[in-house]
Amino acid sequence: MSKTVQTDVTPIETLFKLCDGTYRNEDVNIVVRYFINITKAIILKTNNLNWLTGEWREFEGEVEDVALDYIAHLFARDDGGVFIELKSYFDPIRDIPDSDLNSALERLIYSTVHQESIRVFGDRDPVGRIFYRSLRYILAKHPDWEKFKLPDGSQRIAVSGRENRPATELSIMKEFKITNFHSVGLTETLERGLITLLEKEKRSVPVKQLLNQIRLQLSDGTINTSVPGETGLEITMLYHLETTLREVNQSILEKYEKDNKLLANERAAFSRAVKKILEDFRVNQNGTSYYEYLSNELPSLKDSENYRTHYRKQFEYVAKVAKKTFSASVKSDFKLE
């Protein structure tokens, strides 16, 4: 019995075998290896990600193991063996030139590395995660403040254009003391202290000293850092969630109601259901079906057939726009520096 001679194919061509479910085991290995190599290159050449391989000594995995962990979820399969994540991303663009496909692949992997690095950063240094994201949120609210780097590599916060003397360690301890974490969150504590030192006392604030002061308070176990809504991350995520809902209401749902495509109570149910979808989406939970999301908020919706006939097209469009808008805003706001 003669063997079939397989002609050389590119990794991109092999990738589409995974999308179509027409692959062999060696095809999977080829694509996984191709993805790993791209991921490794991104990690090693991106200054933002140096900490993955050096700064945190307890992170003992080789860069290849890190790369594989990061991209593993992209190789999820459905019951028929089709690689559904890859199919969803590449099917709509399979007819573009190979050079553009390779660029799209690099963008996908870079986005994946970026999102996973945020997750790992939070797992490894929860206090640093809360601090830096709170600080980023505050600086966005005060465009006349800036975080800048000194020649020795240290960073300070100051009013733009001012060269103020740094605040003393004693004043930092005084102004950034978290006295009641249940009523005053970290973000508010940081903002109040910065207003006092930057605006009233006309000082600059060394970032490292500020972080050390916050770390002492949040790491000693006397302050509960898991109070819902009190971390800078939670505040920022809720801000983006509410902003997304407002945008979707103004750009889509208002028009639906005005054009008599939705009644007032249906529009309100759409909004509540989309909010629940985003709440699940931000904590990486699949939640439930679109029908169940909407029926939970719209008592008159009794069966899935009624949903498919009257609501599905509009509701799922709104939900997908909301998730895309929310995701883009969060990625932009949480971009690691």
Side-chain angles (χ1 to χ4, degrees):
M1 187 174 181
S2 60
K3 292 184 179 180
T4 300
V5 178
Q6 183 181 10
T7 57
D8 291 337
V9 294
T10 67
I12 289 293
E13 291 172 320
T14 307
L15 168 63
F16 284 114
K17 293 183 181 180
L18 274 61
C19 297
D20 297 335
T22 59
Y23 56 87
R24 300 179 300 175
N25 286 338
E26 49 263 46
D27 295 324
V28 179
N29 293 334
I30 289 170
V31 176
V32 170
R33 169 51 51 192
Y34 189 55
F35 274 49
I36 286 176
N37 289 340
I38 295 175
T39 307
K40 286 167 59 178
I42 289 173
I43 291 174
L44 293 173
K45 75 181 181 183
T46 305
N47 290 334
N48 297 344
L49 304 176
N50 286 342
W51 50 269
L52 284 178
T53 55
E55 182 177 333
W56 287 333
R57 299 302 179 187
E58 69 270 24
F59 202 107
E60 297 176 353
E62 297 291 339
V63 66
E64 183 153 327
D65 295 330
V66 175
L68 184 57
D69 285 343
Y70 273 27
I71 64 173
H73 71 279
L74 296 177
F75 292 89
R77 310 184 209 195
D78 64 15
D79 293 339
V82 174
F83 286 77
I84 53 175
E85 294 292 334
L86 299 179
K87 183 178 180 66
S88 173
Y89 185 81
F90 288 102
D91 249 12
I93 58 174
R94 67 161 64 211
D95 294 328
I96 67 177
D98 279 1
S99 59
D100 293 336
L101 282 169
N102 276 300
S103 296
L105 172 58
E106 289 191 9
R107 288 195 299 272
L108 171 64
I109 294 179
Y110 181 85
S111 175
T112 298
V113 170
H114 178 72
Q115 292 178 64
E116 286 297 298
S117 65
I118 291 175
R119 179 186 63 77
V120 173
F121 176 64
D123 291 344
R124 292 284 171 178
D125 185 8
V127 174
R129 176 200 66 193
I130 296 168
F131 173 82
Y132 281 113
R133 290 176 183 171
S134 297
L135 185 59
R136 184 178 293 114
Y137 178 59
I138 292 166
L139 293 177
K141 289 178 61 180
H142 296 270
D144 55 331
W145 297 354
E146 64 175 344
K147 178 161 64 78
F148 60 93
K149 185 176 291 188
L150 297 173
D152 63 2
S154 63
Q155 294 183 323
R156 287 200 193 151
I157 305 165
V159 175
S160 300
R162 291 186 188 172
E163 295 186 4
N164 300 124
R165 291 179 300 159
T168 65
E169 185 174 349
L170 184 62
S171 62
I172 289 174
M173 290 175 60
K174 175 186 174 184
E175 298 301 334
F176 296 98
K177 186 174 182 180
I178 306 175
T179 56
N180 187 348
F181 198 77
H182 290 276
S183 60
V184 180
L186 173 62
T187 302
E188 187 174 349
T189 297
L190 289 173
E191 187 172 19
R192 287 181 179 179
L194 288 170
I195 288 173
T196 298
L197 293 179
L198 301 185
E199 304 285 355
K200 297 179 180 178
E201 298 189 11
K202 302 189 186 309
R203 295 293 187 107
S204 62
V205 177
V207 174
K208 186 175 181 180
Q209 286 185 334
L210 177 54
L211 173 57
N212 286 343
Q213 171 60 21
I214 298 301
R215 195 184 296 282
L216 283 173
Q217 297 181 77
L218 298 187
S219 300
D220 65 3
T222 61
I223 295 176
N224 179 8
T225 63
S226 61
V227 178
E230 287 297 333
T231 68
L233 172 61
E234 283 295 322
I235 291 172
T236 308
M237 293 284 275
L238 290 172
Y239 166 80
H240 285 298
L241 190 151
E242 294 296 336
T243 301
T244 298
L245 285 174
R246 184 165 57 250
E247 182 176 331
V248 166
N249 265 293
Q250 292 173 348
S251 64
I252 303 176
L253 296 182
E254 280 185 8
K255 189 174 187 303
Y256 280 174
E257 185 179 359
K258 183 179 179 181
D259 294 344
N260 295 318
K261 294 180 179 179
L262 290 177
L263 299 176
N265 69 307
E266 292 173 330
R267 172 188 167 183
F270 268 46
S271 183
R272 292 193 300 270
V274 169
K275 182 177 182 180
K276 180 59 179 173
I277 287 173
L278 291 180
E279 288 172 346
D280 288 346
F281 180 62
R282 73 186 179 92
V283 294
N284 200 29
Q285 291 181 355
N286 292 327
T288 183
S289 68
Y290 284 123
Y291 162 67
E292 290 173 307
Y293 275 118
L294 185 57
S295 62
N296 286 338
E297 304 299 335
L298 186 62
S300 61
L301 181 55
K302 301 295 185 182
D303 60 80
S304 57
E305 182 59 35
N306 187 22
Y307 169 75
R308 286 192 294 269
T309 303
H310 295 98
Y311 299 108
R312 178 179 177 180
K313 183 177 179 180
Q314 293 171 329
F315 180 65
E316 293 186 13
Y317 171 72
V318 174
K320 289 172 183 177
V321 169
K323 287 200 289 187
K324 183 177 180 180
T325 301
F326 176 72
S327 180
S329 298
V330 170
K331 287 178 186 177
S332 175
D333 196 13
F334 290 170
K335 184 177 181 181
L336 295 176
E337 298 176 352

